[in-house]
Amino acid sequence: MSNANVKQYIAELLMPAIGGEIKEQAVMDLLEYPPDPQMGDLSLPCFKLSKTMRKAPQAIAEQLRQVIATGGLIARTEAVSGYLNFYFDKGRFAKAVLQDVLFGKKPYGSNELGRGKNVVIDYSSPNIAKPFHIGHLRSTVIGNALANIFRFSGYKVTGVNHLGDWGTQFGKLIVAYMRWGSEAQVKAEGVGELLRLYVKFHDEAEKDPSLEDEAREWFVRLEKNDERALKLWRWFIDISMREFGKIYDLLGVTFDSYAGESFYNDKMDTVIAELAEKGLLEEDQGAMLVRLDDYGMPPALMLKKDGGSLYHTRDVAAAIYRKQTYDFDQCIYVTDYAQNLHFQQWFKIVELMGYPWADKLVHVAFGRVSLEGVRLATRKGNVVMLEDLLKQAIAKTREIIESKNPHLPNKDEVARQVGVGAVIFNDLSMNRIKDIAFSWDEALNFDGETGPYVQYTHARACSVLRKAESDGELVIAHEAIAVEQLQDAEAQRVLKELYLFPERVEMAMRKYEPSVISRYLIDLSQSFNRFYHERPILLADQPVRTARLALVKAVQTVLKTGLNLIGLETPEKI
């Protein structure tokens, strides 16, 4: 019995009485969860039905109430102030939820919406030869969570790390290295030294603008496979990938493809030729562009006058390649909202090229990260290194463990799981489109509605189950659960939260919004901790003990699943 099934069941009962042009799905969408259990477990606001049913909302609620037979899951109904409220039978409700969570044939909360479908998710995509800073965290953890959520929903997911391994910045870095760098220093300092050289280039270019021309010349040489340029470029990539790998290992993030911008170099001539053939390309002062005036957008530059390629060209080439290679049903791009226009432009170009799958390209935008109100800028050196943040989070967690639970086994491993989890959850705890003003205090705050709070709640549930098991009394056979013992307000609140999980997973997927899961995990943890403090579990008499242990096991199962979906690990002891 998933919540969707309950809503569908009620909608099916109501449809004959509603009639008209209203679809069953529309009735399901109207059903809502009242904020106060006194107002029912599920409620149908009848106001939007007035137009088609030509009656006052309260009269509609009264009429619909007559067609709902009570019994089974629905214990009673009430028509109040234009709402039709449904009250569940508490025992049947508890039995149905626990059956689904503990004994269902598939992982609870999963679905088959993506069966037979492919989705490509393009996320993280840091720039080579630049440090992995807190600004890259958002794309990485949002994309990773979406990949997990889509897989959980039955999709075959291909995670792509579209590395920023091409562009004029490499001309700048080559110039900077040849003028002010040394092989020994780069080998010793890695990406940190490459960043220093990159910043120095921009400082010097402000005094000597000819450096910009020199950098452009070197990038053109790179595009034409100049041996010296290629050797340096490959070296910069190797250095960067080693450093990125350390970050991805800490975050527990993996990819199916690391095909970056350079991968599409030999595929762009075909795109340019196709644009020309379809009459979409126009010359402008030696450069080639696609006019988008008719769509309220500025023109999209496809080739610079020196023949150099641009982001638009590479992104169109990449989309065509991905469709041919993965036959995606959706191709999702996780980048900050500052790139909204860029994606609107090249999505429109793909559409104008006549590709019917252009509407399957999705830009999942997120808010930008600033440092104490100042925008992050690599060229100015104004960044917080992600590795530094993760290491500090781990060190702080280690100190907390040492003071509160010094005998905990595997302290270093747990500190890594909780410290890294705190950073990830902090990013995913708010709506993705919101800007974030980075604060060390907030990022390392483990109190309140945080990742460590949810992880600790999971560990608490594990602890209760371990103690019960050591007593030889961890019974979770379905027939042994006396569900009538779970009718108190605290247990029912937990059951309602558990019941919502499949709906929250689907909502997170459809809205491309991992924070739906994060918020849900906080709500479930708070409900469980209230239950834990108000209702004795291990000290309760049978059969209350067994019923409450089954509820604890259900909470532990869902917390583990939910945390894993958004990229957090679940230590059993903290």
Side-chain angles (χ1 to χ4, degrees):
M1 179 218 68
S2 70
N3 44 6
N5 289 342
V6 174
K7 286 185 173 181
Q8 186 174 5
Y9 168 69
I10 291 174
E12 287 173 354
L13 292 177
L14 295 173
M15 285 308 294
I18 292 175
E21 299 175 0
I22 298 177
K23 298 283 193 292
E24 184 178 298
Q25 184 61 51
V27 177
M28 289 174 64
D29 292 341
L30 282 176
L31 288 163
E32 61 185 33
Y33 302 103
D36 182 348
Q38 299 299 319
M39 300 162 68
D41 298 299
L42 205 56
S43 182
L44 178 72
C46 297
F47 306 97
K48 290 185 178 180
L49 300 175
S50 288
K51 188 174 181 181
T52 54
M53 296 184 71
R54 302 174 185 274
K55 289 184 181 180
Q58 180 60 20
I60 295 172
E62 291 283 2
Q63 178 186 335
L64 296 181
R65 182 172 176 270
Q66 304 301 319
V67 305
I68 296 291
T70 54
L73 181 64
I74 300 172
R76 64 188 177 92
T77 57
E78 280 184 0
V80 181
S81 303
Y83 288 83
L84 177 57
N85 300 326
F86 302 87
Y87 295 81
F88 298 159
D89 179 286
K90 290 181 171 59
R92 290 177 185 273
F93 178 65
K95 182 176 182 179
V97 172
L98 294 177
Q99 166 68 35
D100 273 5
V101 179
L102 300 177
F103 309 105
K105 292 181 180 178
K106 61 181 183 179
Y108 183 64
S110 65
N111 60 68
E112 296 296 323
L113 292 170
R115 181 193 286 265
K117 296 179 182 177
N118 300 324
V119 63
V120 173
I121 305 181
D122 177 327
Y123 59 106
S124 193
S125 309
N127 289 319
I128 293 295
K130 293 182 183 177
F132 204 123
H133 59 68
I134 55 170
H136 298 121
L137 178 66
R138 303 219 70 194
S139 176
T140 305
V141 298
I142 292 170
N144 184 59
L146 290 177
N148 294 337
I149 291 165
F150 271 84
R151 285 191 190 98
F152 199 58
S153 301
Y155 287 83
K156 180 181 179 184
V157 176
T158 302
V160 177
N161 193 341
H162 187 72
L163 295 166
D165 62 357
W166 206 245
T168 311
Q169 70 265 29
F170 288 98
K172 295 176 181 180
L173 194 57
I174 289 169
V175 170
Y177 174 74
M178 292 194 301
R179 282 176 175 260
W180 310 294
S182 78
E183 182 177 353
Q185 192 73 9
V186 172
K187 284 183 175 177
E189 301 293 331
V191 171
E193 173 62 7
L194 296 181
L195 172 63
R196 186 190 72 79
L197 290 171
Y198 188 71
V199 171
K200 184 171 179 62
F201 175 90
H202 286 94
D203 290 342
E204 296 296 329
E206 287 181 7
K207 295 177 278 186
D208 180 6
S210 70
L211 286 171
E212 296 282 358
D213 294 328
E214 190 179 340
R216 279 190 285 273
E217 288 169 12
W218 268 104
F219 178 56
V220 172
R221 290 171 67 174
L222 181 60
E223 289 201 297
K224 293 179 177 177
N225 295 323
D226 176 90
E227 191 174 324
R228 188 177 180 194
L230 278 173
K231 185 177 180 182
L232 285 172
W233 173 72
R234 291 190 183 111
W235 184 39
F236 297 154
I237 289 176
D238 289 342
I239 291 167
S240 301
M241 291 305 294
R242 282 197 295 273
E243 301 230 4
F244 294 164
K246 289 190 289 185
I247 301 294
Y248 292 133
D249 286 345
L250 272 176
L251 292 172
V253 173
T254 59
F255 301 90
D256 302 294
S257 167
Y258 283 89
E261 294 177 43
S262 65
F263 179 78
Y264 301 100
N265 277 348
D266 61 354
K267 299 167 181 59
M268 287 185 287
D269 287 347
T270 306
V271 170
I272 295 297
E274 186 177 344
L275 287 168
E277 181 188 334
K278 292 177 176 176
L280 296 170
L281 213 54
E282 183 178 316
E283 185 178 345
D284 186 284
Q285 297 180 5
M288 304 300 289
L289 51 81
V290 176
R291 295 258 177 222
L292 297 169
D293 309 58
D294 292 345
Y295 310 99
M297 290 182 278
L301 200 59
M302 304 305 287
L303 277 181
K304 292 184 285 189
K305 60 184 177 182
D306 62 10
S309 61
L310 290 116
Y311 288 121
H312 289 106
T313 332
R314 292 194 281 272
D315 280 335
V316 171
I320 293 170
Y321 171 83
R322 290 170 184 176
K323 182 61 180 176
Q324 292 170 344
T325 305
Y326 304 114
D327 191 24
F328 58 73
D329 289 271
Q330 288 186 73
C331 189
I332 298 166
Y333 297 83
V334 185
T335 75
D336 76 60
Y337 62 60
Q339 298 187 48
N340 282 355
L341 175 60
H342 168 75
F343 280 95
Q344 288 165 9
Q345 286 177 308
W346 78 260
F347 284 5
K348 177 57 71 175
I349 290 170
V350 172
E351 180 188 330
L352 294 173
M353 291 172 79
Y355 289 109
W357 44 266
D359 62 350
K360 305 300 183 186
L361 302 171
V362 181
H363 180 212
V364 173
F366 56 80
R368 308 197 79 170
V369 182
S370 62
L371 180 58
E372 296 173 348
V374 179
R375 181 181 164 187
L376 300 175
T378 308
R379 65 182 61 184
K380 299 293 185 185
N382 179 41
V383 292
V384 172
M385 305 307 178
L386 186 54
E387 188 173 11
D388 292 344
L389 172 58
L390 293 172
K391 285 181 176 177
Q392 287 208 36
I394 293 168
K396 178 177 178 180
T397 309
R398 186 70 165 74
E399 289 174 10
I400 294 171
I401 291 172
E402 204 60 62
S403 65
K404 294 189 174 181
N405 193 2
H407 302 298
L408 177 72
N410 305 316
K411 280 184 279 194
D412 290 336
E413 176 67 4
V414 174
R416 180 192 64 77
Q417 293 173 318
V418 176
V420 171
V423 173
I424 294 173
F425 198 95
N426 178 66
D427 193 287
L428 296 180
S429 62
M430 61 194 80
N431 190 295
R432 62 175 160 79
I433 206 64
K434 288 185 177 178
D435 287 338
I436 294 178
F438 178 80
S439 155
W440 280 102
D441 289 340
E442 284 186 24
L444 299 178
N445 176 27
F446 294 176
D447 298 321
E449 299 177 352
T450 64
Y453 170 72
V454 179
Q455 287 173 311
Y456 179 75
T457 304
H458 171 267
R460 167 175 276 170
C462 289
S463 174
V464 172
L465 296 171
R466 267 197 313 277
K467 289 173 183 173
E469 195 168 19
S470 68
D471 292 343
E473 291 210 36
L474 183 52
V475 179
I476 54 169
H478 192 229
E479 62 277 5
I481 302 171
V483 291
E484 65 275 6
Q485 303 298 332
L486 297 174
Q487 298 197 25
D488 57 87
E490 291 81 12
Q492 285 289 307
R493 181 67 259 172
V494 174
L495 287 160
K496 283 182 182 177
E497 290 296 342
L498 291 170
Y499 158 84
L500 286 173
F501 185 54
E503 186 173 292
R504 295 295 183 259
V505 170
E506 184 176 340
M507 185 187 300
M509 184 198 72
R510 293 193 187 281
K511 292 186 174 182
Y512 310 102
E513 186 58 82
S515 68
V516 170
I517 304 288
S518 308
R519 182 66 252 174
Y520 169 81
L521 292 171
I522 292 291
D523 291 343
L524 177 58
S525 296
Q526 290 174 338
S527 295
F528 173 73
N529 285 319
R530 198 172 302 120
F531 166 76
Y532 175 86
H533 288 297
E534 294 293 330
R535 302 290 169 179
I537 301 170
L538 296 173
L539 297 178
D541 294 332
Q542 291 290 9
V544 178
R545 174 184 165 107
T546 300
R548 289 179 179 167
L549 282 171
L551 188 58
V552 174
K553 177 62 180 172
V555 169
Q556 182 267 328
T557 299
V558 173
L559 286 178
K560 182 179 180 67
T561 301
L563 284 166
N564 291 166
L565 282 178
I566 58 171
L568 273 72
E569 295 183 51
T570 49
E572 296 188 2
K573 295 181 180 180
I574 296 180

